[in-house]
């Protein structure tokens, strides 16, 4: 029976995700903060801003968009304008979990320093340390309270610095089955296409990352279960 219940719950969550969970869930999926503008060439870079290359991955199958939140130094976490959001979603057309692959993008951000302050899926706010988002979902008259990945981070979390007119290689930030976001460099072969678009920009500083936030193991595709057997 336990295995049957897990199978039914997985199907329930997948169908609920495909059909939508209402207006509140749609807002939660978008998440707080501001998503930065994409860059397709260096000439698009605006005054006062720098270019950033970043990748977001997940070894957990994403039923909802994963959001990573960075707070600008000197800003207020309660102010949407001070929080930058980077996202990754699971393609509904993919067979299995496709979010373990690197997906570097180029964006532009106002010059400054930005610290990772949290990650979440279907969260209405930037989560606090150790906080997990609990979402009530209903499909075909059946209700279930589901735990979605989320966590907040303290002052020792990774920091990226953006300089006006320069290119910052922020690296890869991956959600692991430990419900932690861990950092690693983006492989050179995955960087070529996006770097080529931004040729001519001087290099900005490398990100500041402590040992505890460096990726400990290669990602492997998981389903809905984390390393403690919790399902979402």
């Amino acid at each position: 029976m336990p295995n049957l219940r897990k199978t039914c719950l997985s199907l329930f969550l997948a169908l609920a995700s495909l059909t939508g969970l209402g207006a509140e869930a749609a807002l939660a999926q978008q998440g707080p903060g501001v998503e930065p503008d994409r860059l397709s060439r260096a000439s698009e870079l605006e005054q006062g801003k720098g270019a950033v290359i970043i990748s977001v991955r997940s070894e957990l199958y994403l039923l909802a968009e994963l959001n990573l939140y960075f707070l600008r130094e000197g800003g207020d976490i309660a102010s949407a304008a001070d929080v930058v959001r980077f996202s990754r979603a699971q393609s509904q057309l993919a067979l299995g979990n496709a979010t373990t692959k690197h997906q570097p993008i180029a964006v532009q951000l106002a010059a400054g320093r930005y610290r990772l302050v949290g990650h979440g899926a279907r969260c209405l706010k930037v989560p606090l340390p150790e906080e997990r988002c609990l979402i009530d979902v209903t499909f075909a008259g059946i209700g279930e309270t589901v735990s979605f990945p989320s966590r907040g981070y303290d002052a020792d979390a990774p920091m990226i610095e953006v300089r006006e007119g320069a290119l910052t290689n922020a690296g890869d930030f991956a959600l692991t089955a430990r419900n932690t976001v861990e950092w690693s460099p983006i492989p050179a072969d995955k960087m070529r296409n996006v770097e080529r678009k931004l040729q001519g920009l001087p290099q900005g500083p490398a990100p500041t990352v402590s040992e505890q936030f460096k990726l400990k193991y290669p990602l492997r595709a998981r389903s809905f279960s984390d390393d403690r057997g919790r399902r979402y």
Side-chain angles (χ1 to χ4, degrees):
M1 289 297 292
N3 289 335
L4 178 59
R5 184 182 183 279
K6 288 182 178 181
T7 301
C8 291
L9 178 58
S10 297
L11 180 60
F12 164 80
L13 291 173
L15 290 172
S17 176
L18 287 171
T19 56
L21 303 178
E24 182 181 7
L27 176 63
Q29 185 173 1
Q30 184 181 33
V34 177
E35 192 168 6
D37 293 332
R38 295 283 188 100
L39 272 180
S40 59
R41 59 182 64 89
S43 61
E44 294 177 349
L45 193 59
E46 299 172 3
Q47 186 175 3
K49 294 185 177 181
V52 176
I53 295 176
I54 188 170
S55 172
V56 176
R57 295 190 294 156
S58 174
E59 68 177 350
L60 290 175
Y61 186 94
L62 298 176
L63 282 171
E65 184 177 74
L66 170 66
N67 294 310
L68 270 57
Y69 303 108
F70 286 76
L71 176 66
R72 186 176 182 183
E73 190 173 49
D76 184 350
I77 202 168
S79 171
D82 294 331
V83 177
V84 177
R85 181 180 75 246
F86 297 103
S87 305
R88 182 74 184 266
Q90 167 69 33
S91 170
Q92 299 296 340
L93 300 177
L95 297 176
N97 183 3
T99 59
T100 58
K101 299 177 181 179
H102 291 88
Q103 193 179 76
I105 61 171
V107 301
Q108 58 179 327
L109 286 175
R113 289 162 58 87
Y114 298 81
R115 177 175 61 86
L116 176 68
V117 289
H119 75 266
R122 295 203 188 280
C123 291
L124 289 171
K125 64 172 185 174
V126 178
L128 300 173
E130 307 304 323
E131 183 178 15
R132 295 177 69 87
C133 292
L134 298 176
I135 307 297
D136 293 326
V137 297
T138 303
F139 179 76
I142 303 173
E144 185 83 26
T145 299
V146 182
S147 173
F148 277 76
S150 56
R151 174 172 286 180
Y153 300 101
D154 294 322
D156 57 349
M159 178 87 71
I160 60 176
E161 182 176 346
V162 181
R163 293 183 180 174
E164 182 177 2
L167 173 60
T168 295
N169 182 354
D172 178 75
F173 292 82
L175 172 63
T176 73
R178 297 173 289 283
N179 189 35
T180 58
V181 168
E182 299 177 12
W183 178 92
S184 62
I186 302 173
D189 63 321
K190 306 297 183 183
M191 287 281 291
R192 290 193 187 105
N193 288 339
V194 67
E195 276 186 319
R196 190 179 299 119
K197 301 174 182 178
L198 303 173
Q199 285 180 346
L201 294 179
Q203 290 294 319
T208 302
V209 184
S210 63
E211 285 298 322
Q212 74 178 93
F213 280 94
K214 292 183 179 178
L215 188 65
K216 299 168 180 63
Y217 309 100
L219 295 194
R220 63 185 183 90
R222 300 285 191 108
S223 60
F224 307 111
S225 298
D226 64 11
D227 64 343
R228 298 184 182 179
R230 295 178 296 200
R231 301 175 71 82
Y232 71 96

